[in-house]
Amino acid sequence: MSDWSAATPSVVLIAARAAEARQAIAAIEASAARLAATIDFAAAATGLDAQGYADVLLVETAGADADLLTVVLDLIVDYAARGGAVIVSFPEIQLDEVAGALLGSRVELLCAPDIVERATAIAVALAGRGGRLREEGDESEAARLKRLNDEIARIADLLARLGRDATPPSGMQDRRRDFRAEADDGVIAPAEIRRAIRARRLRDQFFGDGLFEDPAWDMLLDLFAADLEGAQVSVSSLCIAAAVAPTTALRWIGRLTEAGLIARHPDPSDRRRAFMLLSSSARNDMRRYWQAMRRLGGPLV
C-alpha cells in the first residue's frame, strides 16, 4: 500500500525575489516534487533546521541582502555537511561570492540556470535520496534509505575509479611506460602558455563553439599561466577560462579539486571571495609536461 501524498518528495524553497521564486516553483512541479514551504533569507538566517524537514533545500540567491546571504551560505555549508541535499541557484554577478563560500561542500551549484536545469538538479538530488514512493513493508524506512544510499555511494565510487583509470593522473603514466623525458631546466615564460590558450580559442573562431570543449585542460593552462605571472585567479575568472557554461565549469572545478590538482584559497581581505590555484604537485607536473612537449617539438596546445 502506498501513500502518494506522504511519499511525494518535498522541497523547501529559500528565495529573495518573486521572479526567481516563480521559476523555482515551476521547476519543483516539473520534477514531480511538492513545495513544502517558501521562506525568505531573513527567516533562513535564523537557522535552516528550524524550517522543517525536506528532501531537498533549493536556494535562490538573486537579490538577497549581502549580509543575510553571507549568514545563509555559512549555514548551508553546515547543513550539507550533515547530509542535507542542497541546490543553490545564483546569477553570474554572485558567482565569486557563492562559489567562494560553497566550493568543496556537498552542494549542487547552478549559475544562471533555466527551469529545466533547476528541475533536472532537483530530480537528481531526489534520486540520490532513495526515490519517490515509500511503500509499507517488512523493511523499515531507515533501513531502506541506508541501503539505497549505500548503493548510490558504491556506484559513485565505481564511476570515480573508472574515471581515474580512463584519465592518466598528473604523473603522466603513459610517459613513464613508453619513454622518459630528459630533464629540461629551461624557463617557461607565461607568454608561451598564453599563446597556447589563444591558439585553443582560435579554433572556436573558425569552427564554432562547443566542438572542442576541454574545460579541465583550459583551466589548468590558465592557472599555470597565472602561477608563472604571480597573479591570482578568482572563481569567476577561472569559469571564463574554461570556455563552457558557468555551471559546467563549477562542476569541473569540483572534479579538479577532488583530484588534488587545484585548491581553493580564501581571499584574506574578503571572506566572501576565494581564489583558485594549482596544487604544488600539479604545478610541478605542468612544468614537466610543458618541458617534455617542448623538447619533443610537439604542439603546445
Side-chain angles (χ1 to χ4, degrees):
M1 182 112 184
S2 299
D3 182 353
W4 176 254
S5 62
T8 304
S10 60
V11 178
V12 166
L13 171 63
I14 300 173
R17 297 195 307 209
E20 286 75 18
R22 286 193 294 270
Q23 294 186 52
I25 292 170
I28 293 168
E29 293 172 349
S31 66
R34 66 181 176 87
L35 178 64
T38 300
I39 60 177
D40 59 22
F41 274 76
T46 63
L48 299 181
D49 292 328
Q51 310 311 322
Y53 173 81
D55 293 285
V56 174
L57 182 65
L58 175 59
V59 184
E60 297 284 342
T61 69
D65 173 82
D67 292 333
L68 288 175
L69 178 58
T70 299
V71 172
V72 172
L73 291 178
D74 287 341
L75 292 173
I76 286 172
V77 172
D78 179 64
Y79 183 85
R82 290 184 282 115
V86 188
I87 301 167
V88 178
S89 165
F90 54 93
E92 288 191 23
I93 194 171
Q94 291 179 330
L95 197 160
D96 279 315
E97 182 174 5
V98 174
L102 300 181
L103 272 177
S105 64
R106 306 175 73 86
V107 175
E108 178 69 15
L109 300 179
L110 304 178
C111 184
D114 57 22
I115 293 175
V116 172
E117 289 173 312
R118 288 179 174 92
T120 301
I122 294 168
V124 170
L126 291 173
R129 298 186 75 77
R132 294 181 179 176
L133 285 176
R134 301 185 180 107
E135 297 184 355
E136 295 178 3
D138 294 334
E139 187 180 22
S140 70
E141 179 64 18
R144 183 159 52 253
L145 286 175
K146 183 181 186 305
R147 176 175 55 80
L148 290 170
N149 285 335
D150 288 345
E151 179 65 12
I152 291 166
R154 185 191 67 78
I155 294 171
D157 180 67
L158 176 61
L159 290 174
R161 286 190 281 110
L162 287 174
R164 289 195 295 269
D165 292 341
T167 304
S170 58
M172 292 184 66
Q173 286 182 341
D174 289 341
R175 185 177 73 226
R176 288 176 180 150
R177 183 166 59 246
D178 297 333
F179 68 94
R180 287 188 178 275
E182 297 178 24
D184 182 351
D185 295 328
V187 175
I188 301 174
E192 187 179 354
I193 312 300
R194 294 295 182 194
R195 280 195 299 271
I197 294 172
R198 286 196 295 272
R200 291 170 66 80
R201 297 284 70 79
L202 192 62
R203 297 177 302 186
D204 296 335
Q205 294 182 28
F206 286 95
F207 299 101
D209 296 335
L211 290 177
F212 303 101
E213 290 181 354
D214 190 4
W217 188 239
D218 284 326
M219 287 191 282
L220 288 177
L221 285 175
D222 188 67
L223 288 173
F224 187 40
D227 184 82
L228 294 171
E229 294 163 345
Q232 293 180 311
V233 180
S234 66
V235 177
S236 57
S237 178
L238 190 58
C239 287
I240 293 171
V244 292
T247 295
T248 302
L250 287 169
R251 292 195 183 106
W252 277 102
I253 290 174
R255 292 184 63 178
L256 290 171
T257 302
E258 290 173 1
L261 296 174
I262 66 177
R264 172 180 173 275
H265 178 68
D267 183 350
S269 62
D270 185 352
R271 65 182 297 269
R272 295 174 297 181
R273 188 170 66 165
F275 296 112
M276 305 305 300
L277 67 160
L278 290 175
S279 65
S280 58
S281 60
R283 181 186 303 113
N284 292 334
D285 286 337
M286 289 294 286
R287 286 182 178 276
R288 292 167 57 204
Y289 168 81
W290 210 256
Q291 290 166 350
M293 290 300 293
R294 193 163 56 185
R295 292 180 68 84
L296 285 174
L300 300 179
V301 294

